[in-house]
Amino acid sequence: MMNVSRFLKNVILIELFVPVLLLTVGIYHGLMQVIYRSGVIHKASVAKLDYYQGLTLHGVINAIVLTTFFAVAFGHATIAFYLKKEPGKKATLLSLLLMVIGTLMAAAAMLSGKASVLYTFYPPLKAHPAFYIGTAMLIVGSWVAFWDWVVVYIRWKKENREINTPLAVIGTLVNFTIWFVCTLAVAYEVLILLVPWSMGWTAGVNVMLARTLFWFFGHALVYFWLLPAYIMFYTMLPKLAGGKLYSGMAGRIAFFMFLLFSIPIGVHHQFGDPSIGRGIKLSQSILTFAVAIPSFITAFTIAASLEHASYMRGGKGLYKWIWKLPFFRKDVYLFGYLINGLILFIFGGLTGLVNASYSLNNVVHNTSFIPGHFHLTVAGPVFLAILGMSVFLVSQLTGRKIYMPTINTIIPYLWTVGVLIFSAGLMWGGLMGEPRRTNMGLTYLDPANELYHPYWVISSMLGLAGGGIMFVAGFLYFIVFFGTFLRKRTAEPMIDLPVSESLHPEKRIPIFDTFKPWVALMVLILLMAYIPAISDALNNTTKKAPPYKPSDPTPVVVK
């Protein structure tokens, strides 16, 4: 248990409140996407919000704004709780201001319809400069928080040289090291390529270079989303289940393996890009399979930890022990959020191997299979960990009890059912060639249109059914979150994270308690993976592209 200063408490609460408030817009547009795509609406816009404008809001708010704010808030809580040292006030305040102002700038551009460039903001789709500058400010704000934590960690380590760094701190610093390195590429893309182009200072942009820089960032972003959930899996889930962590060392190995392999695999998103050579694509495919190893380590370690917890509760048998776990207990509701995330991630990881394969990827590339897959990961362990921990932190930092605790316990299970139905529909449709991103209500699922495609009706309706269930679960979450925030205080504000003890005593092994050799190896692998890819992007591209709108196949005329 740790009593936190009023300043840090307020910062963490703001960093939770702002993205959750924006999430109401993100989830609404998520529902609208499945309604459009199912053919229920045969329009390009509803309530003066265009389909692609809503798609951009949904992706950017859910995948960039929410995850970045939460990762910083959770990082503040983790560093302060485990190291017993609060981050510096000036750096923390500067970080918060940059993130909030940047988010508001980007949101204003999207809401005004001047930044309908989707979550990937691929050129030649062109946004207002405020979108690019605001996104850059959000990223820089998170950097400020990270470097301040590094200072806190170095001070703590000088005082505790022979003590193992807490696993949660290792995970947090690994996560933000990945984030800092991968965002350097997207910062270059935004500030050097896109902002001058958006302002009209340059006439065209190298699309292939921009895409390559984005995916240097874009796939590592997935692990930036995931690692807070992994920290919870290792350091909290065994405790919540009533047992101990089977191996803390396995967690350290997994985190450092993510540091090595999570960034240099972004080119597997570009298997369809002709400018990237086949040899580079082959090496990227192999590296992508390598990043599955720490996930397998985690799966076996956490499964063993949960089995041990069940036996402590009286569980028996090869499979019956599972039912002794506290699935619906209101006092350990975090268990429900985390275990459902793990269940969804099993399917997300397996379908991700399809994307990693060069040959199989060609079958599903740019089909609805892709969002079906990544909703199993982003809307699975990532989103459920964020929902559960945000309610947990708000309750502790305000000293207020959970509002509607029974509903809070049901939310992750309802959400899981929705995601499974939604993703099954999208992946089934993708295997039949159903496109992603497209407003199918205007074409393929409009019976009056010559492009009407009846084979996609059932799969898109499954997507609609699953999306509807997810929307209901999200609506219930907002009731619980804001209801908890508005209740009367019944206890002193604090941070008291559930801490899982290791099942076996583990000696300190210096190489798994230091960052320098791992960072050096990461840089080496990155250079080997990306120098050839960037070289191809520069040398195999001829004309620079003029700007386009997502709803129009002709270039915008620059006056």
Side-chain angles (χ1 to χ4, degrees), residues 95-356:
S95 168
L96 177 64
L97 289 174
L98 285 169
M99 291 169 63
V100 171
I101 294 170
T103 298
L104 292 176
M105 288 176 63
M110 289 185 287
L111 288 168
S112 65
K114 297 179 180 179
S116 298
V117 291
L118 314 188
Y119 144 73
T120 50
F121 50 89
Y122 279 166
L125 297 180
K126 187 176 181 180
H128 190 277
F131 173 81
Y132 299 122
I133 295 170
T135 304
M137 288 178 66
L138 171 65
I139 291 170
V140 172
S142 67
W143 288 356
V144 174
F146 166 53
W147 287 112
D148 188 55
W149 299 337
V150 171
V151 172
V152 173
Y153 165 72
I154 291 172
R155 289 175 182 168
W156 179 88
K157 200 61 185 172
K158 286 180 178 178
E159 299 168 3
N160 302 272
R161 293 185 183 276
E162 300 304 317
I163 298 177
N164 251 337
T165 304
L167 182 57
V169 175
I170 291 283
T172 299
L173 294 180
V174 163
N175 191 30
F176 273 81
T177 301
I178 293 169
W179 173 247
F180 175 73
V181 173
C182 78
T183 50
L184 289 173
V186 80
Y188 180 90
E189 179 200 1
V190 167
L191 297 176
I192 306 301
L193 299 182
L194 301 184
V195 169
W197 176 64
S198 177
M199 289 183 168
W201 298 344
T202 56
V205 63
N206 185 331
V207 169
M208 190 52 57
L209 177 60
R211 284 168 66 92
T212 305
L213 291 171
F214 178 86
W215 285 116
F216 184 101
F217 153 82
H219 194 82
L221 176 64
V222 173
Y223 298 98
F224 176 67
W225 298 336
L226 273 170
L227 285 184
Y230 270 70
I231 292 168
M232 295 179 216
F233 292 156
Y234 277 105
T235 66
M236 300 181 191
L237 188 57
K239 174 72 172 180
L240 294 168
K244 297 183 178 182
L245 176 62
Y246 187 76
S247 173
M249 183 55 65
R252 292 171 184 271
I253 293 170
F255 285 134
F256 283 122
M257 287 190 73
F258 278 125
L259 187 62
L260 298 183
F261 297 119
S262 62
I263 306 176
I265 59 175
V267 175
H268 80 247
H269 287 268
Q270 297 176 265
F271 282 162
D273 290 349
S275 296
I276 305 294
R278 287 178 294 177
I280 297 170
K281 293 174 181 176
L282 173 62
S283 64
Q284 289 277 323
S285 183
I286 294 169
L287 278 173
T288 305
F289 284 115
V291 84
I293 297 173
S295 290
F296 281 122
I297 291 172
T298 301
F300 288 114
T301 304
I302 300 305
S305 303
L306 294 177
E307 187 173 3
H308 170 262
S310 179
Y311 288 155
M312 295 287 288
R313 292 174 175 272
K316 296 178 181 179
L318 188 60
Y319 300 110
K320 289 183 180 179
W321 60 268
I322 294 173
W323 307 114
K324 284 290 184 179
L325 295 173
F327 288 105
F328 293 100
R329 277 181 49 182
K330 290 183 284 188
D331 57 330
V332 285
Y333 61 87
L334 260 180
F335 179 86
Y337 281 95
L338 297 180
I339 196 66
N340 277 281
L342 269 176
I343 292 168
L344 288 172
F345 194 47
I346 292 171
F347 299 103
L350 292 174
T351 54
L353 293 176
V354 173
N355 301 334

Side-chain angles (χ1 to χ4, degrees), residues 496-514:
D496 188 16
L497 302 177
V499 180
S500 301
E501 299 176 11
S502 291
L503 181 60
H504 308 288
E506 295 181 344
K507 293 182 179 180
R508 178 177 177 269
I509 301 176
I511 195 170
F512 293 111
D513 193 37
T514 185

